[in-house]
Amino acid sequence: MGMKAKVALGAVVGIVVIGAVSANAGSDGKDGGPGGGKGSSAAAEQKSGSKKDSGGAKAAEEKKAAIAGDGEYQVGSDVKPGTYRTVGNTDGMCYWERAKDASGEMDSLLANDNVNGTSYVTVKATDKVFKSNDCEDWEAVDPKAKGTPASSMDGDGGMFKVGTDIAPGTYKSTGNGDASCYWERTKDADHGLNSIIANNNVTGTAVVTISPSDAYFKTNDCGDWKKA
């Protein structure tokens, strides 16, 4: 089973795959992430309220972004530990980083990623800094919220929460012509090497079974996935 490592290249981080490569899971449809389609996740449910609902002012306040898409934040004072999601990143320029200090050096990196579509990330209480550049705003994800899992995914949609955004099962992606298709099954949103359950780079047809015990599925540069 292949694993992946990430190496920072200036301000942007590239993905280096060792052995098999992993793919970022996409969302249902072409709307740029798990929460974009009808099969929605925790954070998406928070958007369902409107100012016309009872307690409209409170609902509007709850819909405010937890973290702006551009900035550097101290964990604990600027940003609370927890899991966050960004949706609708369409140009691949969104970059985020978890760091153990504010030195800006490579040794301070705990995890990072470039995002197309949607991403989830868990900011830990032991993290010191969270950075986000050129991303759509981040919203807090309620781990108890439920969605309607979809049975298909945008192959370049990013990251999907299993059981909320997408249903477990076996999925097939066709028409991957140049091995740039990358998928990944993960056990959490920490984005460390220990988070990866399995991953691969694919040419041609890709088939993967997503387990109910998986936490997330990532897909980048793949043909759309459909449940077999």
Side-chain angles (χ1 to χ4, degrees), residues 91-121:
D91 58 6
M93 296 303 294
C94 167
Y95 170 78
W96 64 260
E97 176 181 313
R98 293 172 48 225
K100 61 184 180 182
D101 57 46
S103 70
E105 298 177 3
M106 282 293 294
D107 288 345
S108 70
L109 280 174
L110 296 171
N112 58 5
D113 205 2
N114 289 108
V115 177
N116 196 65
T118 293
S119 184
Y120 290 82
V121 61

Side-chain angles (χ1 to χ4, degrees), residues 4-130:
K4 83 172 182 181
K6 296 169 185 172
V7 179
L9 304 175
V12 182
V13 170
I15 298 176
V16 176
V17 177
I18 304 172
V21 189
S22 54
N24 288 0
S27 69
D28 184 28
K30 297 286 185 179
D31 44 352
K38 294 181 180 179
S40 180
S41 78
E45 287 194 352
Q46 295 177 356
K47 291 186 174 182
S48 61
S50 70
K51 293 183 180 179
K52 294 182 179 179
D53 297 335
S54 59
K58 183 178 180 181
E61 182 178 351
E62 290 176 349
K63 289 189 291 182
K64 290 182 180 179
I67 309 173
D70 284 295
E72 300 183 357
Y73 309 94
Q74 288 185 303
V75 177
S77 56
D78 301 326
V79 174
K80 294 181 180 179
T83 299
Y84 297 88
R85 186 184 73 161
T86 180
V87 176
N89 300 285
T90 58
D91 58 6
M93 296 303 294
C94 167
Y95 170 78
W96 64 260
E97 176 181 313
R98 293 172 48 225
K100 61 184 180 182
D101 57 46
S103 70
E105 298 177 3
M106 282 293 294
D107 288 345
S108 70
L109 280 174
L110 296 171
N112 58 5
D113 205 2
N114 289 108
V115 177
N116 196 65
T118 293
S119 184
Y120 290 82
V121 61
T122 297
V123 177
K124 296 186 174 183
T126 51
D127 296 352
K128 298 302 181 183
V129 176
F130 180 76

Side-chain angles (χ1 to χ4, degrees), residues 117-222:
T118 293
S119 184
Y120 290 82
V121 61
T122 297
V123 177
K124 296 186 174 183
T126 51
D127 296 352
K128 298 302 181 183
V129 176
F130 180 76
K131 300 180 182 180
S132 177
N133 291 329
D134 290 327
C135 299
E136 295 296 321
D137 291 347
W138 296 82
E139 50 194 357
V141 175
D142 180 356
K144 296 181 180 180
K146 297 179 180 180
T148 303
S151 58
S152 62
M153 293 175 277
D154 178 351
D156 197 31
M159 190 171 182
F160 298 90
K161 186 172 176 60
V162 178
T164 303
D165 302 326
I166 56 166
T170 298
Y171 289 79
K172 181 182 291 186
S173 169
T174 59
N176 301 294
D178 58 3
S180 61
C181 169
Y182 171 79
W183 63 258
E184 177 179 311
R185 296 168 50 218
T186 70
K187 63 183 180 181
D188 54 43
D190 294 355
H191 295 267
L193 287 175
N194 292 333
S195 300
I196 299 172
I197 299 170
N199 60 4
N200 206 3
N201 283 113
V202 180
T203 300
T205 298
V207 179
V208 61
T209 297
I210 299 171
S211 170
S213 60
D214 294 351
Y216 299 92
F217 182 75
K218 299 181 181 181
T219 174
N220 283 338
D221 293 326
C222 298

